[in-house]
Amino acid sequence: MQQILQQLNIQQINKGVSTGGEWLDSTGGTIESYSPVDGQLIASVQQADRQAYDAVVAKAQEAFVAWRKIPAPKRGEIVRQVGEALRQYKQPLGMLVSYEMGKSLQEGYGEVQEMIDICDFAVGLSRQLYGLTMHSERPLHRMYEQWHPLGVVGIISAFNFPVAVWSWNSMLAWVCGDVCIWKPSEKTPLCGIACQNIIAEVFKKNGVPEGVSCIVQGGREVGEWLSADTRIPLVSATGSTRMGKAVGAAVAARMGRSILELGGNNAIIISQHADIDMSLIGAVFGAVGTAGQRCTTTRRLIIHESVYDTFKAKLVAAYQQLRIGNPLDTANHVGPLIDKDAVNNYFSAIEQCSRQGGTFALEGGVLKGQGYESGCYVKPCIAEVTNELAIVQHETFAPILYLIKYKTIEEAVALQNGVPQGLSSAIMTLNLREAEYFLSAAGSDCGIANVNIGTSGAEIGGAFGGEKETGGGRESGSDAWKAYMRRQTNTLNFGTDLPLAQGITFDL
Ligand code: NAD
């Protein structure tokens, strides 16, 4: 790991505030980053203090004035080079993601690949920031709309996608002409340092003004500064619903804009018409992948009563085959939870589930002994429940899978929708009527609805996000870029009269 840290220019003690030039001094205290893989201290990072934070925002504002003047395709060319740099750093960055966050090495590399993909997407987008043209009701008038850069974008990210979520936001924001200030999760600060170093190299080579890519390390307090800051027109926040409610309220109170990407409580409906083997793979990967720490993790399986027992038996057998251990060893399926607090939350949810009437088809527990010294490795478990239990309505960020029985497709959809969150959903069925019903307006109420694919693992080409307590934000593909720009409607009169709209006359 020492060699990886060196390649990414990470020191034992790192400054945590930068505008793209030299790293700045700050006295906001220190974050120590311990790996959930083996419990070892990896390195530490200085947190931003208010003075350093204010200096960063001022620099970002200054940079915006220059950056917005650069033609979008030229900004796209710089993002193309960022993609190239990420290709070059894919191996060390992917390993750091895996070691600092605890996801499997394959998923660590996958996360960096997602960053590369969004760079490619953003490069194309930089030539397609189009507006519409409308016909004016007035003669010799032209009416159209254009999209202008917005300004400074604040990005608050969660620990579980420590680099990809930042890139979904920043690559789009940059081609749109905005500048970014990133506050990474305090649980994965080194991933932030590594990304900032990679970007700084590319930006320096291209003479990009200091302040286009900024980073301010710290915890909740730094996030609160960003949320309340009137100099920041857009805050994109990814994390728990609790955090999103606070950020959303603070940003709205100052009439700013927010993109909220919050918790999910995702279900797969397993119909009696499902391909059972395919459903099993989808369910197990969705529930235990990233140790249940994806916003799109499958938390509930809503299974038709006629296949319930068969499916449960297959599921339990599949879970018994899972190898839990060091995520850097590709033979393992399940790695650790992020920290001991997450382990406590896992146990608390298991206890609440039993108390509320759930029964366990497969018990949980924490693994001890050699290879499990960090104390963060837990057993994926399966509980049989009803949907209305308080614990089932709540997102627990751990590999606990709830099984629920249904009779009719209408009931299954109502159960799937019957939670406060609305991120990802899926149905496994070979029946066309069921599939179309699930995708119809009367079907899933989530931002993502899949057929014969599990709930996790989105592609960057589509807009990503969810409804209800998931926050309503959209990031990444499709037309999500519009959130990073301001729309302006223009009407231009090339005639010699001044006709008013709606036939109103005003003669002098
Ligand atoms: P978290 O809410 O604890 O923290 C997320 C970020 O918000 C961190 O950077 C944290 O410092 C900051 N923060 C916390 N409170 C804040 C406040 N009051 N004001 C401003 N900033 C604040 O979440 P986490 O444990 O890092 O991540 C797990 C959660 O993130 C899960 O709920 C998961 O579903 C969600 N998530 C959602 C998506 C999505 O796209 N919908 C993606 C990844 C993770």
Side-chain angles (χ1 to χ4, degrees):
M1 193 44 63
Q2 220 41 49
Q3 205 188 339
I4 297 292
L5 296 179
Q6 248 167 30
Q7 272 174 276
L8 296 168
N9 203 6
I10 292 175
Q11 320 297 318
Q12 228 19 64
I13 299 170
N14 300 273
K15 292 183 179 171
V17 179
S18 163
T19 53
E22 292 298 302
W23 288 84
L24 309 179
D25 287 321
S26 62
T27 53
T30 305
I31 311 172
E32 300 197 316
S33 181
Y34 289 91
S35 169
V37 174
D38 54 14
Q40 296 297 310
L41 175 67
I42 315 173
S44 55
V45 175
Q46 286 173 3
Q47 305 196 62
D49 56 23
R50 183 70 209 202
Q51 202 185 348
Y53 167 84
D54 280 329
V56 165
V57 181
K59 193 52 127 181
Q61 282 184 302
E62 207 181 296
F64 174 59
V65 175
W67 184 241
R68 70 181 169 189
K69 286 192 210 139
I70 296 172
K74 293 238 155 55
R75 296 192 295 253
E77 163 54 22
I78 293 162
V79 168
R80 187 193 65 74
Q81 293 178 38
V82 171
E84 287 303 308
L86 288 168
R87 283 180 173 88
Q88 213 182 314
Y89 284 101
K90 182 171 175 177
Q91 196 255 350
L93 187 58
M95 273 191 112
L96 177 66
V97 167
S98 176
Y99 189 58
E100 190 177 35
M101 184 276 159
K103 62 177 64 178
S104 75
L105 188 55
Q106 227 183 335
E107 288 178 274
Y109 291 149
E111 191 168 338
V112 182
Q113 186 57 47
E114 217 170 313
M115 301 172 83
I116 295 167
D117 292 345
I118 196 73
C119 287
D120 288 353
F121 180 90
V123 175
L125 181 67
S126 70
R127 293 180 183 270
Q128 297 177 70
L129 301 169
Y130 50 78
L132 300 172
T133 306
M134 299 85 174
H135 284 252
S136 170
E137 67 184 50
R138 289 169 277 184
L140 305 178
H141 279 56
R142 188 160 76 83
M143 185 159 69
Y144 62 103
E145 67 184 18
Q146 8 170 29
W147 293 86
H148 290 309
L150 201 56
V152 182
V153 177
I155 302 166
I156 299 172
S157 60
F159 79 85
N160 66 328
F161 277 90
V163 292
V165 165
W166 163 74
S167 69
W168 291 359
N169 283 283
S170 55
M171 301 309 154
L172 292 203
W174 285 334
V175 298
C176 289
D178 299 327
V179 301
C180 298
I181 302 179
W182 180 23
K183 192 205 86 61
S185 165
E186 59 274 39
K187 295 177 186 174
T188 49
L190 299 174
C191 286
I193 303 272
C195 289
Q196 179 70 5
N197 284 337
I198 294 170
I199 297 300
E201 210 176 287
V202 176
F203 277 18
K204 202 167 167 195
K205 215 166 52 195
N206 286 277
V208 173
E210 217 182 291
V212 174
S213 174
C214 305
I215 189 164
V216 284
Q217 296 273 6
R220 175 184 172 157
E221 193 187 11
V222 179
E224 287 171 346
W225 295 341
L226 282 168
S227 311
D229 199 326
T230 51
R231 296 169 292 181
I232 301 180
L234 173 67
V235 177
S236 175
T238 301
S240 59
T241 295
R242 179 196 51 73
M243 175 281 285
K245 284 183 175 168
V247 171
V251 177
R254 61 174 175 86
M255 298 292 181
R257 284 198 216 163
S258 53
I259 299 175
L260 299 176
E261 300 282 351
L262 313 175
N265 192 348
N266 319 295
I268 304 180
I269 297 171
I270 315 265
S271 147
Q272 71 273 37
H273 305 296
D275 175 326
I276 293 292
D277 290 338
M278 202 163 89
S279 306
L280 189 68
I281 298 170
V284 177
F285 175 73
V288 310
T290 330
Q293 299 171 107
R294 286 190 183 207
C295 49
T296 53
T297 289
T298 306
R299 310 227 170 262
R300 299 175 296 143
L301 289 184
I302 301 168
I303 310 171
H304 191 266
E305 57 179 4
S306 65
V307 292
Y308 184 91
D309 288 335
T310 321
F311 198 79
K312 182 176 85 174
K314 281 180 183 275
L315 199 62
V316 169
Y319 266 54
Q320 283 162 341
Q321 311 291 315
L322 292 173
R323 281 188 299 271
I324 307 166
N326 189 327
L328 294 162
D329 176 348
T330 49
N332 290 323
H333 301 106
V334 184
L337 292 179
I338 183 72
D339 55 21
K340 296 254 178 67
D341 285 347
V343 175
N344 291 338
N345 289 341
Y346 160 87
F347 278 118
S348 161
I350 289 175
E351 189 266 318
Q352 289 176 63
C353 182
S354 301
R355 195 154 31 82
Q356 290 167 14
T359 52
F360 279 82
L362 193 69
E363 298 285 339
V366 69
L367 292 155
K368 297 203 168 94
Q370 207 192 347
Y372 303 124
E373 288 85 357
S374 71
C376 296
Y377 292 84
V378 300
K379 292 185 198 160
C381 59
I382 304 170
E384 296 181 89
V385 298
T386 52
N387 201 52
E388 66 280 2
L389 298 191
I391 192 65
V392 176
Q393 296 281 314
H394 174 82
E395 179 199 45
T396 303
F397 226 46
I400 304 172
L401 180 62
Y402 299 120
L403 307 189
I404 299 157
K405 213 180 267 186
Y406 80 90
K407 283 191 171 66
T408 65
I409 181 68
E410 290 79 11
E411 183 195 0
V413 170
L415 287 165
Q416 128 72 37
N417 292 344
V419 289
Q421 309 82 355
L423 181 52
S424 186
S425 60
I427 187 168
M428 295 292 187
T429 184
L430 301 178
N431 180 303
L432 180 72
R433 285 184 182 148
E434 275 188 350
E436 287 290 355
Y437 175 70
F438 178 73
L439 299 175
S440 75
S444 166
D445 64 2
C446 291
I448 297 165
N450 298 332
V451 175
N452 294 328
I453 298 175
T455 57
S456 71
E459 297 178 28
I460 58 97
F464 182 87
E467 303 298 332
K468 303 194 288 186
E469 283 196 358
T470 303
R474 291 296 185 277
E475 281 175 357
S476 189
S478 185
D479 65 352
W481 60 270
K482 289 179 176 170
Y484 302 84
M485 304 198 84
R486 60 184 172 86
R487 185 199 309 243
Q488 186 176 67
T489 303
N490 307 115
T491 311
L492 187 149
N493 177 0
F494 57 98
T496 51
D497 295 329
L498 188 67
L500 302 178
Q502 294 89 41
I504 294 168
T505 55
F506 184 77
D507 294 326
L508 287 177

